């Protein structure tokens, strides 16, 4: 047994004893199942963003239930598939609400979360977003609407766009940048705007801004235009399935500058026909299996063992979401609030706000708009693999 | 003002040709089937997806490029003949609406079947094991071999189709049936055979298109056929549904419109432009560019 897992077990044991102590001290608290909802796309075009965090959350909950028999807290996951559709995510939210969950882990995508967040706000249902990155889900600066029940594990769009602009400036010495984005996607637009704004500040010239349609498979026409402008770097804020189509066409047309991406790129090398098309490209992410932090390593190993596949950013944020949530549920119960009561969700929101927890994707502390303050992981694609470049 | 960039315009022209030739190949299938049994075969787009998956599986099982392509094309043909036998033939006497709805049903069935077998996630298509992409230079112009091969193969297939329809007995039968199904039957034409043959022809072309499509855009997923099928259908209607040259003209028109619209920087408006062209053409010529009410329809 490794030293790391020993420490972990020790910590777990300690928690168990503490919990036991608290559980005994509360007379009226009977063993009770506490339901957590999961609202994710488990099929359809963006299934990968939903299945992985669901597995991550399941891994945490299984571990927790197994090591936590005496406290009386048993977590049960109620899972609903929203199929990446806005209407289905609202239906799913209502059905989870009716089934009596005390919080929902959701937010695989911005589009569906933008729809569910206000609904959840009205009935004070805590939402934990895994990777949805549109700023307005938590706080919309344009309308000054703050959904204080929504907490985020991942980065907001502007954070990623700025990060990549800074990275291009500092490490790639870029003078002329181009962006290629999807006009119909809030995520893509948000990143592109932040990237451009930051580039302007850093004196990087934006020489070309081209867009593509969300259903497009052919990008040669726009890429030919980008090639003619000869950029030092091409920023493509898009999801992995689009990148798997754009990158081969970019290479074919003759674009040989590095491509920059965002967390939507995760696991792109699995989907691209030839991963050398992405050689020397960078994207930012929340997690890498090669991260050498103790807690990240433990997670990668147990995920591999349980799920028979490599962990990724999505499963890590699902795991973290469950961890943060369960931690807050525990605390609220120990403060004497009963999960049966309607006010429990309100208490849970207040407890979540005070989270300070070491998690797989970094130390989670929420800022005034419920966005996490943590570093990003930069991934570089070399030798056809997505390698950990460093925290940045 | 932008400097006029002839190189860029030429490469956009090649891109338009390539996209258009794929659309043309697929819209031929729509057009021929419509010409024969007046059916808008919406499952035709999903045949592309079937071809893509068959090619993918064959390559992953190390069948080599030629056999894989053969499997894909013949697989498409077999499946569409099966669809015709099982779904369309029993409804031949039914109303056209029932037939149309059946076609939509078959399309949904194929998409969901593929999701069941191959999961909803896309799979990378090993394009380089079918067509190696080499850069070719003509003076200052860079052209890809895949693009050139796509255009050439499409044109050759279309020429073969024209020869088949105009010079062979089966082709003659097809033209006769499309002119008047009942009279053709009275003249001793075996309708079932002709219809099956039409489906085989159309879906083989779709199989070829599917290989071309996957080599250009190396990602296979269960819903890939929907949008491209839709565009090809528009191409068929635009060119005059039922007319072979019409389908080709329609396909290239749609390809060029798409490339042109994104070249001038309105890529988000591609679909708008395509449908706008369709509406304008149909307003001026309700039967499409080359469609005529009483011409040969095959």
């Amino acid at each position: 047994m490794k030293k790391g897992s020993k420490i972990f077990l020790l910590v777990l044991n300690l928690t168990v004893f503490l919990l036991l102590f608290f559980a005994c001290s509360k007379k009226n608290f009977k063993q009770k199942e506490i339901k957590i909802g999961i609202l994710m796309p488990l099929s359809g075009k963006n299934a990968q963003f939903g299945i992985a965090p669901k597995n991550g959350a399941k891994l945490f909950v299984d571990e927790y239930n197994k090591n936590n028999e005496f406290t009386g807290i048993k977590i049960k996951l109620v899972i609903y598939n929203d199929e990446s559709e806005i209407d289905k995510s609202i239906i799913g939210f209502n059905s989870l609400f009716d089934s009596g969950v005390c919080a929902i882990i959701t937010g695989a995508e911005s589009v569906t979360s933008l729809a569910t967040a206000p609904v959840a706000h009205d009935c004070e249902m805590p939402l934990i977003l895994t990777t949805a990155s549109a700023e307005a889900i938590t706080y919309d600066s344009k309308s000054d609407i703050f959904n204080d029940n929504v907490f985020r594990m991942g980065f907001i769009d502007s954070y990623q766009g700025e990060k990549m602009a800074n990275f291009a400036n500092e490490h790639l010495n870029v003078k002329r940048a181009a962006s290629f984005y999807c006009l119909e996607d809030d995520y893509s637009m948000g990143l592109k705007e932040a990237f451009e704004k930051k580039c302007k500040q850093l004196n990087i010239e934006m020489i070309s801004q081209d867009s593509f349609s969300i259903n497009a498979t052919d990008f040669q026409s726009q890429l030919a235009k980008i090639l003619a402008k000869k950029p030092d770097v091409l920023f493509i804020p898009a999801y992995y399935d689009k990148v798997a189509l754009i990158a081969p066409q970019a290479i074919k047309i003759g674009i040989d500058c590095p491509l920059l991406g965002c967390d939507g790129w995760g696991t792109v090398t699995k989907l691209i026909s030839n991963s050398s098309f992405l050689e020397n490209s960078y994207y930012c992410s929340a997690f890498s299996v090669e991260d050498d932090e103790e807690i990240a390593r433990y997670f990668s190993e147990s995920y591999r063992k349980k799920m028979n596949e490599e962990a990724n950013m999505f499963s890590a944020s699902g795991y973290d979401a469950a961890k943060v949530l369960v931690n807050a549920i525990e605390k609220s119960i120990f403060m004497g609030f009963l999960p049966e009561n309607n006010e429990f969700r309100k208490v849970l929101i207040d407890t979540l706000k005070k989270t300070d927890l070491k998690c797989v994707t970094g130390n989670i502390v929420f800022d005034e708009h419920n966005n996490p303050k943590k570093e990003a992981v930069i991934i570089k694609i070399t030798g056809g693999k997505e390698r950990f470049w460093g925290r940045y | 003002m932008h400097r006029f960039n002839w190189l860029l315009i030429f490469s956009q022209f090649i891109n338009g040709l390539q996209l258009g030739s794929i659309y043309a190949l697929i819209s031929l299938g729509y057009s021929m089937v419509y010409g024969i049994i007046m059916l808008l075969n919406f499952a035709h787009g999903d045949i592309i997806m079937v071809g893509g998956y068959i090619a993918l599986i064959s390559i992953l099982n190390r069948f080599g490029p030629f056999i894989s392509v053969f499997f894909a094309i013949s697989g498409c043909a077999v499946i569409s003949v099966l669809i015709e036998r099982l779904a369309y033939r029993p409804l031949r006497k039914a109303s056209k609406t029932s037939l149309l709805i059946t076609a939509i049903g078959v399309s949904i069935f194929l998409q969901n079947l593929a999701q069941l077998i191959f999961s909803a996630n896309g799979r990378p298509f090993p394009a380089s094991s079918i067509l190696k992409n080499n850069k070719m230079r003509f003076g200052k112009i860079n052209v890809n071999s895949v693009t050139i091969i796509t255009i050439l193969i499409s044109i050759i297939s279309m020429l073969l189709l024209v020869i088949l329809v105009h010079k062979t007995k089966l082709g003659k039968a097809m033209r006769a049936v499309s002119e008047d199904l009942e009279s053709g039957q009275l003249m001793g034409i075996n309708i079932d055979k002709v219809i099956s043959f039409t489906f085989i022809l159309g879906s083989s072309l779709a199989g070829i298109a599917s290989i071309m499509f996957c080599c250009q855009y190396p990602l296979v997923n269960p819903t890939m056929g929907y949008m491209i099928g839709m565009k090809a259908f528009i191409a068929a209607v635009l060119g005059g549904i039922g007319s072979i040259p019409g389908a080709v003209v329609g396909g290239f028109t749609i390809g060029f419109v798409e490339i042109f619209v994104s070249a001038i920087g309105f890529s988000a408006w591609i679909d708008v432009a395509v449908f706008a062209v369709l509406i304008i053409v149909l307003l001026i010529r309700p039967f499409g560019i080359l469609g005529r009410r009483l011409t040969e329809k095959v």
Side-chain angles (χ1 to χ4, degrees):
Chain A
M1 190 178 272
K2 279 192 184 145
K3 194 181 145 211
S5 35
K6 264 187 188 163
I7 295 175
F8 184 81
L9 276 180
L10 194 71
V11 173
L12 259 183
N13 276 332
L14 267 175
T15 357
V16 167
F17 277 120
L18 275 173
L19 294 184
L20 196 60
F21 173 75
F22 279 113
C24 295
S25 66
K26 284 219 77 66
K27 268 184 204 153
N28 57 353
F29 185 74
K30 281 184 284 186
Q31 164 142 18
K32 182 103 191 155
E33 241 179 22
I34 294 171
K35 287 183 187 159
I36 296 180
I38 290 193
L39 183 60
M40 294 271 177
L42 305 176
S43 65
K45 58 185 193 302
N46 290 333
Q48 195 171 352
F49 301 133
I51 293 171
K54 183 208 75 185
N55 287 343
K58 203 167 165 324
L59 178 71
F60 179 81
V61 169
D62 286 349
E63 273 177 4
Y64 179 83
N65 284 340
K66 210 166 99 191
N67 299 321
N68 196 33
E69 283 164 350
F70 310 111
T71 55
I73 300 178
K74 194 160 183 294
I75 306 288
K76 188 177 177 238
L77 293 178
V78 186
I79 297 167
Y80 194 97
N81 178 5
D82 71 16
E83 297 172 45
S84 301
E85 304 282 349
I86 291 173
D87 50 343
K88 292 213 175 86
S89 70
I90 298 285
I91 296 171
F93 175 82
N94 290 334
S95 112
L96 289 174
F97 186 87
D98 293 340
S99 71
V101 299
C102 70
I104 297 178
I105 299 176
T106 179
E109 295 165 282
S110 296
V111 202
T112 46
S113 305
L114 280 168
T116 44
V119 184
H121 186 244
D122 289 343
C123 45
E124 285 177 332
M125 172 69 83
L127 295 187
I128 314 277
L129 308 176
T130 53
T131 45
S133 54
E135 209 160 344
I137 307 173
T138 46
Y139 175 70
D140 188 3
S141 52
K142 279 173 202 141
S143 56
D144 198 36
I145 291 172
F146 178 36
N147 294 323
D148 63 346
N149 61 320
V150 185
F151 297 86
R152 204 193 293 267
M153 291 291 116
F155 308 117
I156 49 174
D157 291 338
S158 57
Y159 178 89
Q160 287 189 57
E162 281 170 18
K163 192 118 257 185
M164 290 323 280
N166 274 328
F167 179 80
N169 181 47
E170 207 173 298
H171 293 278
L172 303 176
N173 218 355
V174 167
K175 294 278 168 288
R176 297 153 59 82
S179 62
F180 189 41
Y181 59 97
C182 178
L183 252 179
E184 294 143 72
D185 187 0
D186 297 329
Y187 169 71
S188 194
M189 286 297 287
L191 264 103
K192 170 235 165 200
E193 272 160 21
F195 182 80
E196 273 166 16
K197 215 165 123 194
K198 194 79 200 174
C199 278
K200 208 169 266 172
Q201 287 172 15
L202 296 167
N203 280 327
I204 297 175
E205 194 189 349
M206 285 302 300
I207 47 171
S208 150
Q209 305 163 20
D210 284 276
S211 65
F212 54 86
S213 141
I214 205 155
N215 288 319
T217 43
D218 186 281
F219 309 96
Q220 298 180 71
S221 171
Q222 298 96 309
L223 290 169
K225 269 166 69 192
I226 293 172
L227 174 71
K229 301 261 178 68
K230 294 195 177 58
D232 295 334
V233 73
L234 175 57
F235 181 55
I236 309 178
Y239 288 127
Y240 66 116
D241 57 340
K242 280 280 170 278
V243 181
L245 284 173
I246 294 171
Q249 291 176 43
I251 296 287
K252 221 174 77 184
I253 278 213
I255 293 178
D256 51 5
C257 66
L259 308 181
L260 287 186
C262 46
D263 60 6
W265 279 36
T267 67
V268 63
T269 50
K270 276 196 208 158
L271 205 63
I272 198 162
S273 56
N274 182 349
S275 31
S276 68
F277 290 145
L278 281 169
E279 200 64 18
N280 288 328
S281 297
Y282 299 86
Y283 67 86
C284 66
S285 176
F287 171 76
S288 160
V289 275
E290 295 174 4
D291 195 346
D292 41 15
E293 287 272 346
E294 186 62 47
I295 184 165
R297 246 187 10 225
Y298 170 79
F299 165 72
S300 310
E301 271 166 32
S302 49
Y303 191 85
R304 196 180 300 129
K305 238 182 266 163
K306 278 272 160 56
M307 305 292 167
N308 274 326
E309 60 177 20
E310 241 5 275
N312 56 28
M313 177 187 108
F314 305 105
S315 45
S317 38
Y319 186 90
D320 280 358
K323 185 171 180 171
V324 165
L325 188 54
V326 169
N327 177 60
I329 289 176
E330 245 174 24
K331 272 191 198 156
S332 319
I333 287 176
F334 297 152
M335 284 190 296
F337 296 97
L338 295 176
E340 296 87 74
N341 292 354
N342 277 336
E343 63 177 324
F344 183 73
R345 293 200 300 270
K346 213 170 172 185
V347 176
L348 195 54
I349 292 173
D350 291 336
T351 329
L352 276 167
K353 225 174 188 76
K354 290 174 213 137
T355 301
D356 184 357
L357 195 64
K358 193 154 173 57
C359 285
V360 174
T361 60
N363 202 41
I364 305 272
V365 180
F366 294 111
D367 69 5
E368 72 275 21
H369 294 137
N370 292 357
N371 300 317
K373 297 186 255 185
K374 60 178 187 185
E375 277 183 318
V377 167
I378 300 281
I379 307 274
K380 182 183 187 184
I381 299 173
T382 49
K385 293 231 161 56
E386 292 163 55
R387 306 305 295 263
F388 179 67
W389 181 86
R391 288 198 171 261
Y392 179 73
Chain B
M1 256 314 270
H2 283 291
R3 193 165 48 86
F4 229 54
N5 191 337
W6 289 107
L7 281 182
L8 192 59
I9 289 174
F10 182 78
S11 78
Q12 301 291 31
F13 176 74
I14 294 284
N15 291 340
L17 263 187
Q18 175 239 316
L19 196 61
S21 59
I22 292 177
Y23 285 148
L25 275 181
I26 305 168
S27 65
L28 279 170
Y30 276 108
S31 219
M32 283 195 294
V33 168
Y34 184 81
I36 298 277
I37 51 172
M38 311 286 277
L39 158 70
L40 297 175
N41 181 14
F42 278 112
H44 192 62
D46 297 291
I47 295 290
I48 307 289
M49 176 269 295
V50 171
Y53 272 109
I54 294 177
L56 173 71
I57 299 298
S58 325
I59 289 168
L60 293 184
N61 287 319
R62 303 183 189 286
F63 274 115
F66 286 105
I67 296 178
S68 302
V69 170
F70 173 75
F71 276 172
I73 295 173
S74 46
C76 286
V78 168
I79 287 194
S80 75
V81 167
L82 272 180
I83 292 172
E84 196 268 326
R85 277 276 151 85
L86 300 176
Y88 301 152
R89 190 170 292 180
L91 291 174
R92 199 172 291 158
K93 295 268 177 328
S95 74
K96 295 279 171 276
T97 324
S98 321
L99 212 55
L100 177 73
I101 290 170
T102 312
I104 296 173
V106 170
S107 161
I108 295 172
F109 171 75
L110 285 178
Q111 284 179 22
N112 284 279
L113 186 70
Q115 283 198 17
L116 210 64
I117 302 175
F118 304 106
S119 91
N121 291 335
R123 300 268 287 273
F125 188 83
S128 53
S129 44
I130 286 189
L131 281 179
K132 266 257 166 332
N133 189 28
N134 298 312
K135 281 207 168 35
M136 299 195 281
R137 276 193 88 86
F138 300 110
K140 273 177 144 183
I141 299 156
N142 263 322
V143 189
N144 288 288
S145 54
V146 173
T147 311
I148 297 297
I149 291 171
T150 305
I151 297 169
L152 285 182
I153 289 187
S154 309
I155 291 172
I156 292 170
S157 333
M158 288 174 218
L159 287 177
L160 281 178
L161 179 73
V162 170
I163 293 172
L164 205 80
V165 169
H166 285 271
K167 302 281 175 201
T168 65
K169 218 168 172 185
L170 257 175
K172 210 176 193 173
M174 277 171 70
R175 281 183 290 150
V177 169
S178 82
E179 201 83 22
D180 191 328
L181 196 133
E182 265 131 34
S183 312
Q185 215 162 3
L186 289 174
M187 291 296 146
I189 295 171
N190 183 345
I191 299 281
D192 287 344
K193 207 169 134 194
V194 170
I195 292 176
S196 295
F197 181 68
T198 311
F199 270 88
I200 291 178
L201 263 187
S203 53
S204 307
L205 290 177
I208 297 172
S210 136
I211 302 282
M212 305 296 174
F213 186 78
C214 292
C215 286
Q216 289 283 345
Y217 318 111
L219 187 66
V220 193
N221 64 51
T223 51
M224 64 185 272
Y226 173 74
M227 205 57 205
I228 183 162
M230 207 49 118
K231 292 275 174 64
F233 168 66
I234 296 170
V237 174
L238 185 65
I241 193 152
S243 138
I244 287 181
V248 177
V249 169
F252 282 111
T253 312
I254 298 290
F256 279 117
V257 167
E258 284 197 3
I259 293 291
F260 174 73
V261 170
S262 47
I264 57 173
F266 293 102
S267 49
W269 293 77
I270 286 180
D271 295 344
V272 178
V274 167
F275 282 102
V277 167
L278 177 72
I279 292 169
I280 292 167
V281 167
L282 290 187
L283 279 178
I284 301 168
R285 288 186 65 93
F287 295 104
I289 299 173
L290 294 181
R292 254 169 281 154
R293 196 191 272 279
L294 285 174
T295 45
E296 48 156 30
K297 280 197 214 135
V298 168

